[in-house]
Amino acid sequence: MTQETNLDALIRQRIRGLRIGRGWSLDALAARCFLSPSTLSRIETGHRRIALDQLVPIARALGTTLDDLIESAEEEDVVIRPEPESVPGLTTWLLSREGALNGVTVSKMRITPERTTQHELGVHPGHDWFTVLSGTAELRLGERTILVQAGHAAQFSTMVPHAIRAHGGPVEILTIFDHDGERAHLHPGAGRPKPAGAGSAEPAP
């Protein structure tokens, strides 16, 4: 099977998968992209050659782009191999690629009691989210102190002054920053998310 044939099959699978994922019948998708249900059926099953002028309205109807629909997955490396970045009391692993996941940044953090507690609480636009993998996280949220246990998660507006610390021993968390949160936690001039509380001039998550 040639690379072109592989891509052709992948496009057909994407069209069918996106349609079924939306709970649409062939008739429902056909009405949205102005093709006949029989034409769509032949496209999905490989009994009709895929034409570019058909893919454009299909992609639009499915809420995706032509580029995403025809993108080859042959050379994609799906494994992310994060390198740890450490400061006293905090180690961070970046778990998402730049520009991936619709603009959110995923990272794993290991916080220990060694981390200083003297930093001011940070504030920035948006929302942060984290879940505790092991240990107990102490979330400072304005005047409140909230303990988040392993297996639990927290989501909060980052317009409230906030910081995350270890409580009673090391804690490991998985964090998701939105676009504003990512910008707020960048290393100056480095282009990678800055670990929470890594410097006194930067806000903690």
Side-chain angles (χ1 to χ4, degrees):
M1 184 176 288
T2 66
Q3 183 176 355
E4 182 178 356
T5 305
N6 277 326
L7 180 57
D8 189 76
L10 180 60
I11 293 170
R12 299 179 195 277
Q13 292 169 2
R14 285 172 175 161
I15 293 171
R16 177 175 171 80
L18 289 169
R19 175 178 65 79
I20 293 175
R22 291 182 175 271
W24 291 350
S25 64
L26 285 167
D27 288 342
L29 177 57
R32 288 170 168 83
C33 62
F34 308 105
L35 296 173
S36 70
S38 61
T39 296
L40 279 175
S41 178
R42 291 196 295 271
I43 289 174
E44 287 188 0
T45 57
H47 293 96
R48 182 185 180 95
R49 184 176 178 275
I50 299 177
L52 186 62
D53 61 347
Q54 294 170 332
L55 286 180
V56 172
I58 291 174
R60 185 181 300 117
L62 290 170
T64 187
T65 65
L66 180 62
D67 288 345
D68 286 342
L69 203 58
I70 66 176
E71 181 183 15
S72 174
E74 291 292 323
E75 303 301 324
E76 182 181 7
D77 185 359
V78 300
V79 179
I80 297 173
R81 303 168 180 84
E83 293 292 334
E85 292 189 356
S86 297
V87 295
L90 180 66
T91 302
T92 303
W93 294 263
L94 184 63
L95 301 179
S96 59
R97 293 188 175 94
E98 185 177 357
L101 300 174
N102 298 314
V104 301
T105 299
V106 182
S107 64
K108 175 183 172 182
M109 294 181 175
R110 186 175 192 273
I111 307 169
T112 69
E114 180 186 7
R115 181 184 182 187
T116 179
T117 60
Q118 300 305 311
H119 300 306
E120 295 182 2
L121 304 184
V123 177
H124 58 84
H127 286 77
D128 282 355
W129 176 97
F130 72 87
T131 185
V132 179
L133 303 176
S134 64
T136 300
E138 178 182 299
L139 172 62
R140 290 284 308 280
L141 202 57
E143 298 298 321
R144 303 164 63 194
T145 299
I146 304 164
L147 298 183
V148 187
Q149 308 288 340
H152 294 178
Q155 182 175 350
F156 52 92
S157 168
T158 49
M159 289 301 289
V160 178
H162 58 281
I164 304 171
R165 298 165 183 151
H167 180 81
V171 60
E172 290 191 350
I173 64 174
L174 187 70
T175 69
I176 296 179
F177 297 120
D178 63 12
H179 182 66
D180 288 318
E182 181 182 0
R183 288 190 303 172
H185 297 287
L186 288 177
H187 284 295
R192 290 189 62 179
K194 180 165 186 174
S200 58
E202 293 294 320

